[in-house]
Amino acid sequence: MEKNVVLCGASRYEEKYYLNPDFAKLPGSIQDELKILCVLFTQEIGGILTLEFEPDGTLCLRTEAKESDFNYDEIGGVLKIKEIQREKRELFEALEMYYKTFFLHS
């Protein structure tokens, strides 16, 4: 069974952003856009947000929170993810093509 590959993520708990070093060759403007997206999400909703490539190359956004985090906005998180997917559709399609081309060779 293949695992998802994390592109990037942010944590409200640790106040940190992570970009997978395998994607360090992405243009700086795209790296900046991903960082802003992740950090703003966790500041507004809380918890942890990761952008991950599924084994078939589809980019998905995952959010989670500690069980003890009563400030985490679960409903707001779902709505925010749908909004981000709508607004960043072109970026996500380009990232999927990049991943499929350079990592999956398909």
Side-chain angles (χ1 to χ4, degrees), residues 59-76:
L59 184 64
C60 60
L61 285 77
R62 299 202 189 284
T63 183
E64 62 184 81
K66 294 180 180 179
E67 199 170 305
S68 62
D69 185 356
F70 298 110
N71 293 319
Y72 176 72
D73 184 359
E74 188 171 346
I75 294 170

Side-chain angles (χ1 to χ4, degrees), residues 19-63:
L19 175 69
N20 185 333
D22 292 340
F23 297 96
K25 291 185 180 181
L26 285 172
S29 61
I30 291 176
Q31 290 184 35
D32 291 344
E33 190 169 354
L34 291 170
K35 182 176 184 176
I36 291 166
L37 181 155
C38 289
V39 171
L40 287 179
F41 179 94
T42 57
Q43 290 298 311
E44 181 179 338
I45 304 299
I48 299 168
L49 175 70
T50 56
L51 278 67
E52 304 175 8
F53 289 105
E54 294 180 344
D56 69 353
T58 302
L59 184 64
C60 60
L61 285 77
R62 299 202 189 284
T63 183

